[in-house]
Amino acid sequence: QQQVKQSPQSLIVQKGGISIINCAYENTAFDYFPWYQQFPGKGPALLIAIRPDVSEKKEGRFTISFNKSAKQFSLHIMDSQPGDSATYFCAAKGNTPLVFGKGTRLSVIA
Amino acid sequence: NAGVMQNPRHLVRRRGQEARLRCSPVKGHSHVYWYRQLPEEGLKFMVYLQKENIIDESGMPKERFSAEFPKEGPSILRIQQVVRGDSAAYFCASSPGQVFEAFFGQGTRLTVV
């Protein structure tokens, strides 16, 4: 039983384009939704996070959009750069430890 | 201002040996989480500990695996009688409380030969 479903599995974006990664969840008790970025051989690093009292949060080129009624949230990376090439994980938690999606491998090509 | 420190970074064990993975949380963090990551997979929760207490071990196999977070010293994830299927990256995360963001270490990559 996968509590957080993430798509797509992999994504190729041209430099300067917009990368969009989507996640859906089932557990309505979740109240914290972070995104993590992971480079090969490294640990996941917190990128940006949102709580369900807002529908959007922006930090630099990274934006989370949150749709509480649809139980979906997404990560948008504007002006994608080759340095953004990494694996991105969505996650969710309520009063339980973080539950992760399976990840999206993003490749930004010049 | 050290982050979460895990050691060793790489560990090779023969089948049947024991593996001990250590995690030193961020200074001041009293909550530790262990996750396992298989290639091309997300992170799977294993166990959540506070100082001297196991809070949630629902993701940890009942046999061969154990975890502790003593009053002094690092958290330890112990895998007894390792098998090839235990080969994975094991990540530790810490937070100052359950409702706060969790910060991850660089992981220990366990290879069972």
Side-chain angles (χ1 to χ4, degrees):
Chain A
Q1 180 187 356
Q2 190 179 347
Q3 295 193 58
V4 179
K5 294 185 178 179
Q6 183 171 347
S7 63
Q9 201 169 0
S10 63
L11 182 62
I12 299 174
V13 174
Q14 292 275 355
K15 179 182 174 182
I18 303 174
S19 303
I20 302 175
I21 305 171
N22 301 298
C23 281
Y25 65 96
E26 291 295 326
N27 190 342
T28 54
F30 288 153
D31 61 1
Y32 173 69
F33 303 89
W35 285 88
Y36 283 83
Q37 179 188 57
Q38 186 179 31
F39 292 104
K42 303 293 186 183
L46 179 65
L47 193 61
I48 186 173
I50 197 168
R51 294 195 184 272
D53 51 346
V54 296
S55 60
E56 186 175 281
K57 182 174 181 180
K58 184 176 181 180
E59 290 184 1
R61 295 185 294 110
F62 301 92
T63 300
I64 298 180
S65 296
F66 185 80
N67 186 330
K68 188 173 181 179
S69 61
K71 292 187 284 187
Q72 295 174 347
F73 59 111
S74 60
L75 175 70
H76 295 232
I77 306 174
M78 312 300 286
D79 187 26
S80 299
Q81 298 297 312
D84 296 330
S85 297
T87 300
Y88 293 81
F89 294 96
C90 62
K93 78 183 296 293
N95 58 356
T96 55
L98 282 167
V99 177
F100 285 83
K102 288 198 171 184
T104 296
R105 181 175 289 183
L106 172 65
S107 297
V108 181
I109 56 176
Chain B
N1 186 18
V4 177
M5 303 299 291
Q6 289 189 248
N7 65 81
R9 292 292 308 278
H10 300 274
L11 182 62
V12 179
R13 285 288 177 266
R14 295 187 183 279
R15 281 178 294 170
Q17 290 185 319
E18 178 180 288
R20 279 187 181 235
L21 287 62
R22 287 177 290 278
C23 168
S24 296
V26 173
K27 188 176 181 180
H29 287 191
S30 59
H31 296 242
V32 165
Y33 312 81
W34 285 94
Y35 286 80
R36 176 163 63 178
Q37 185 177 37
L38 293 169
E40 309 301 320
E41 292 282 330
L43 293 97
K44 301 290 188 186
F45 167 74
M46 298 182 72
V47 62
Y48 163 35
L49 310 101
Q50 275 184 270
K51 283 286 188 180
E52 300 183 274
N53 291 303
I54 295 176
I55 306 301
D56 182 348
E57 56 182 347
S58 59
M60 197 154 68
K62 295 287 185 284
E63 297 181 356
R64 303 188 298 108
F65 286 72
S66 62
E68 62 176 10
F69 188 16
K71 186 176 181 180
E72 300 291 338
S75 175
I76 305 287
L77 179 67
R78 182 182 177 203
I79 311 173
Q80 294 178 290
Q81 299 171 0
V82 296
V83 301
R84 288 233 170 97
D86 297 332
S87 295
Y90 292 82
F91 289 96
C92 167
S94 75
S95 69
Q98 190 181 353
V99 297
F100 295 93
E101 292 88 346
F103 297 91
F104 282 81
Q106 299 278 43
T108 293
R109 280 149 187 85
L110 171 66
T111 302
V112 179
V113 297

